[in-house]
Amino acid sequence: MEWSAIRNFVICELRNDHSGHNHQHAFRVAHNAGIILDREGGNRKITLTAAYLHDCVDHKLFPNPAPQIEKIKILLKELNYSDDEIDTVIYIIHNISFNNGNFSELTLHEAMITRDADRLDAIGAIGIVRATEYGAVKGRLFYSSNEKNDNTTLDHFHNKLLKLNDLMLTDTGKELSSERHRFLLLFLSEFHKELDGQI
Ligand code: ADP
Ligand code: NI
């Protein structure tokens, strides 16, 4: 399978993002998905396509997702994907996000792999960088000693990132997430040590 058309599409669609959702994120998610696929099997074409394209309809980046879905359909048709393949890719993209999909039970193996691959990129050293970038773009403080401010990037670590390790769906995802989770905990403990009681 030749991925250059899809990779170029992703580079172009995500070119304006500085909040940790650029094409490098999409490429890493596809890489993570590839590792899980190697160990657990699954439809490689569907999974990697969804992994590459998953943020090209994210509501945070594209407030109006309908034209994005149309663009993806046109791209995949040009690449001779069948209608069933296109529908499955779109289904996965719709269902994997933390906000949209956290409470929807995923039964499709390929969707589970894509979701795990995306979540792996939200934790560990990479996850710390991405959360920091996201907070900066949103103009948020990293931390705050004001209890009324519960919208800091550090809050996001507790509200979301530290929970992801327990939400992994595949055995390989679980295996890969544990080291990244440990690194988040180490980072937080060092961070609080350096702050030395200032929050
Ligand atoms: P998903 O793509 O699974 O829905 P999100 O889009 O919510 O997940 O998160 C994607 C990335 O954006 C993650 O790296 C996450 O840490 C970062 N992010 C999302 N919301 C925040 C926030 N409030 N503060 C800092 N980072 C955030
Ligand atoms: Ni993503």
Side-chain angles (χ1 to χ4, degrees), residues 19-21 54-55 58 60 96-99 118-119 121-122 127 130-132 134-135 140 151-153 156 160-161:
S19 71
H21 295 80
H54 77 280
D55 272 335
D58 189 304
K60 289 191 294 315
I96 59 155
S97 117
F98 183 80
N99 296 320
D118 190 27
R119 287 177 168 173
D121 208 58
R130 293 184 65 222
T132 309
Y134 188 98
R140 294 188 182 144
N151 207 11
T152 64
T153 300
H156 183 68
K160 175 175 169 183
L161 303 185

Side-chain angles (χ1 to χ4, degrees), residues 40-86:
E40 306 203 4
N43 184 319
R44 205 169 185 90
K45 181 181 181 188
I46 294 289
T47 312
L48 294 186
T49 304
Y52 274 123
L53 296 174
H54 77 280
D55 272 335
C56 292
V57 288
D58 189 304
H59 59 96
K60 289 191 294 315
L61 280 62
F62 303 100
N64 186 7
Q68 292 303 114
I69 291 178
E70 277 317 300
K71 273 195 221 172
I72 288 176
K73 284 186 177 167
I74 291 167
L75 170 75
L76 298 183
K77 268 209 171 307
E78 276 171 8
L79 295 172
N80 296 317
Y81 282 57
S82 70
D83 287 345
D84 273 358
E85 287 172 330
I86 294 174

Side-chain angles (χ1 to χ4, degrees), residues 123-129 131-132 142-143 153-155 157-158 161-162 179-195:
I123 57 178
I126 289 170
I128 293 168
V129 171
T132 309
F142 193 85
Y143 70 92
T153 300
L154 202 53
D155 288 319
F157 278 70
H158 294 282
L161 303 185
L162 290 174
E179 190 171 348
R180 295 182 186 216
H181 182 73
R182 264 201 308 272
F183 190 73
L184 283 186
L185 294 173
L186 178 66
F187 167 77
L188 289 173
S189 103
E190 286 292 318
F191 191 77
H192 283 286
K193 211 193 289 175
E194 292 173 20
L195 278 178

